[in-house]
Amino acid sequence: MSVLFETSLGDLVIDLETEACPELCLNFLKLCKVYYYNLNAFFNVSKDFIAQTGDPTATGEGGESIFSYLSSPSDDSVPRYFKPPIVQSLKHTSRGTVSMAFAGGPKGGCGSQFFLTLNEGPIDYLDGKHPVFGSVVEGLDVLEKMNETFVDGTGRPMKDIRIRHVVVLDDPFDDPPGLLVPPGSPTMIPDTNFNLRIADNEDPLETLPAEQAEEERRLAAASASALTLEMIGDLPFANVRPPENVLFVCKLNPVTRDEDLELIFSRFGTIMSCEVIRDKKTGDSLQYAFVEFDKREEAEQAYFKMQNVLVDDRRIWVDFSQSVSKMGGSWSSAALKVTSASNGRGGGGGGGGGGGGNRVGHPKAHEEEMIVLTGQETTDGPKGDGEKMNREGIRDETTEAAQEEEEGEEGEGVGRGVLLDTEEIPVEVAAGIGTETIEIETETGTDMLVTMADEIDERLHA
């Protein structure tokens, strides 16, 4: 009767002494049948001595017999071990002898742990202490590999040697009551300290070809760079990928316009956007563009058909865009809005001028705060509706006029004047210097207003 062990070092075929040791062979075969030994490690290997396995915990203190395995955990009547008779005629005479590990003590006996002898000659020390029940008939070269493996101070191999699968070739015994064969082999390693070892399928001395090693190095460097860009906010996330429906078109003629390019590429499908990139100051074409299609298939068709096509006496080059600027821009804008809302300063810092984030709105909208900074006081009006009054109790009409102007034409000009150091800036001066929006990174809205007032004051004195 035989059992096939598929190990990480090779296959072993074990013949069992079913007639001389029926109880031992029954226990061993049924444990094999329920995949008890699958993924077990050889946790104790001694050169020219033994290789021990059969303990799911890989500590030498675990394991149980098939009778204990099938019994209820609350049933104390079934012992963990059993004590089979030791056949004196079966001894450890050569390499490949298979024996059950016998635990000492009053409750000791045989459970699931077994070992294979590695010495080419007899090992008399084991005779009479551990019962022999089989021998290895195929795979003696695997035993030689085990004998030469490197081990740590406890005898466990530095590189795991595991039983990957067990096949029962012949079983003459009936199954004990309650035995159910699992539908498949287990996939989880039973012991918990396997991560401290070299995996059984890992080769620490393996060297990759130069090209493959360079490719892996570049992938690792690209991954690290992407993570850095994510940390500083340039990418929404490290694994971002460029859109597959956007084409990059370069080598354009400077005279080529957005409408011309859109008309040419529209025959392949719906164009969502077509933009020729231009210099921000001069407005001159930078001779490249991005064309966004509605579907990826349309972009692929345009990629194959438009390569090296003559457009305005220039042969263009078409490729898929690798830019994620739009994705990153929308993500960063959304993040900025969330941050502004959480700080309670959305819309330009608390005034009435609109705008978001770091944008400085209409100076008249923040007149109240500027007056307070320059020593003037404001109080709530008698109506109690939020109207602001100066120190004489007179209604401040300049603020009301600024609010009306903002509702009519938001963002154009500074307004009719801003009170600063009890002086009113003329309308024509304020209108002349307030047509551009000034973006200033500050911590509070008040700082933004003071900076704007200083800007006005400097231009007046100039």
Side-chain angles (χ1 to χ4, degrees):
M1 309 307 164
S2 303
V3 177
L4 170 64
F5 278 80
E6 299 176 5
T7 74
S8 55
L9 295 181
D11 295 345
L12 295 171
V13 178
I14 300 176
D15 270 357
L16 304 178
E17 301 288 345
T18 54
E19 295 183 0
C21 312
E23 193 173 6
L24 283 170
C25 293
L26 172 87
N27 176 67
F28 184 75
L29 285 171
K30 300 310 174 183
L31 287 174
C32 292
K33 196 169 185 179
V34 297
Y35 303 135
Y36 190 86
Y37 293 125
N38 285 43
L39 300 181
N40 280 202
F42 283 85
F43 60 89
N44 180 23
V45 178
S46 299
K47 186 176 177 62
D48 295 331
F49 188 49
I50 63 169
Q52 186 175 352
T53 185
D55 178 8
T57 67
T59 61
E61 300 178 357
E64 59 185 336
S65 67
I66 187 62
F67 312 106
S68 174
Y69 175 80
L70 296 176
S71 64
S72 173
S74 59
D75 188 3
D76 297 334
S77 62
V78 180
R80 178 182 176 186
Y81 303 122
F82 68 99
K83 295 183 178 180
I86 297 178
V87 181
Q88 299 298 328
S89 60
L90 298 176
K91 298 184 179 182
H92 305 83
T93 56
S94 60
R95 173 179 290 179
T97 301
V98 183
S99 299
M100 273 289 177
F102 192 94
K107 295 184 178 181
C110 295
S112 60
Q113 296 185 36
F114 66 96
F115 61 85
L116 316 171
T117 58
L118 301 178
N119 191 35
E120 294 184 355
I123 307 177
D124 299 335
Y125 168 78
L126 300 175
D127 294 340
K129 296 180 180 179
H130 303 277
V132 177
F133 67 97
S135 60
V136 176
V137 293
E138 292 184 23
L140 294 178
D141 58 323
V142 176
L143 297 182
E144 180 63 29
K145 294 178 183 178
M146 289 186 185
N147 196 40
E148 299 298 329
T149 190
F150 293 98
V151 298
D152 59 14
T154 63
R156 179 159 180 177
M158 302 297 294
K159 180 180 179 181
D160 270 342
I161 303 174
R162 292 191 179 272
I163 300 172
R164 293 179 175 172
H165 192 60
V166 181
V167 180
V168 178
L169 301 179
D170 191 8
D171 181 9
F173 303 104
D174 295 333
D175 294 340
L179 187 145
L180 297 176
V181 179
S185 178
T187 58
M188 295 294 294
I189 294 176
D191 54 296
T192 57
N193 58 348
F194 65 90
N195 55 348
L196 303 178
R197 312 278 167 178
I198 302 173
D200 58 323
N201 57 354
E202 180 183 358
D203 186 2
L205 302 179
E206 182 182 8
T207 56
L208 299 175
E211 294 182 358
Q212 186 176 352
E214 178 64 18
E215 180 66 21
E216 293 192 0
R217 185 194 66 79
R218 290 183 178 180
L219 290 176
S223 177
S225 300
L227 184 60
T228 302
L229 292 175
E230 178 186 4
M231 293 172 64
I232 64 179
D234 282 0
L235 289 180
F237 50 92
N239 294 328
V240 66
R241 293 291 181 268
E244 297 180 346
N245 61 329
V246 180
L247 293 180
F248 170 74
V249 184
C250 62
K251 297 185 179 181
L252 294 173
N253 194 312
V255 301
T256 303
R257 301 177 302 173
D258 300 357
E259 304 82 40
D260 302 334
L261 210 59
E262 181 177 356
L263 181 62
I264 295 172
F265 279 86
S266 61
R267 68 188 185 94
F268 300 103
T270 304
I271 302 293
M272 304 302 294
S273 66
C274 180
E275 180 182 6
V276 176
I277 307 302
R278 300 182 179 277
D279 186 274
K280 291 184 178 180
K281 294 183 178 180
T282 64
D284 296 336
S285 171
L286 298 180
Q287 302 179 31
Y288 69 92
F290 293 95
V291 181
E292 180 180 359
F293 285 88
D294 184 29
K295 299 179 181 179
R296 178 177 60 87
E297 294 77 11
E298 298 170 350
E300 290 179 351
Q301 186 178 4
Y303 167 74
F304 289 113
K305 296 292 185 179
M306 294 300 295
Q307 188 66 263
N308 211 30
V309 170
L310 197 65
V311 176
D312 290 335
D313 296 331
R314 293 285 183 90
R315 294 201 176 274
I316 64 173
W317 179 267
V318 181
D319 203 345
F320 283 94
S321 172
Q322 299 299 309
S323 173
V324 293
S325 59
K326 285 190 176 182
M327 302 173 62
S330 59
W331 167 81
S332 58
S333 299
L336 183 59
K337 291 180 181 178
V338 172
T339 305
S340 300
S342 64
N343 292 336
R345 296 201 309 272
N358 293 330
R359 179 181 176 128
V360 179
H362 202 297
K364 291 287 291 182
H366 309 289
E367 181 180 0
E368 171 198 348
E369 299 181 21
M370 301 174 81
I371 294 174
V372 172
L373 288 173
T374 56
Q376 298 185 8
E377 300 178 356
T378 59
T379 58
D380 289 340
K383 294 183 179 181
D385 57 355
E387 293 181 346
K388 297 300 177 181
M389 317 292 284
N390 60 18
R391 68 176 67 184
E392 290 81 17
I394 302 175
R395 181 174 177 178
D396 192 348
E397 298 180 356
T398 56
T399 302
E400 183 177 339
Q403 293 176 352
E404 293 176 357
E405 183 177 348
E406 286 176 3
E407 294 176 358
E409 190 176 0
E410 181 180 359
E412 295 186 4
V414 174
R416 297 176 180 173
V418 178
L419 292 179
L420 181 66
D421 294 333
T422 68
E423 291 184 2
E424 182 173 347
I425 301 175
V427 174
E428 59 274 12
V429 175
I433 64 174
T435 55
E436 295 183 359
T437 299
I438 302 175
E439 294 185 2
I440 305 168
E441 296 182 3
T442 57
E443 296 183 356
T444 65
T446 301
D447 295 338
M448 291 157 50
L449 296 173
V450 172
T451 305
M452 185 64 182
D454 292 342
E455 180 79 12
I456 296 172
D457 191 51
E458 289 178 4
R459 298 193 187 185
L460 284 174
H461 287 83

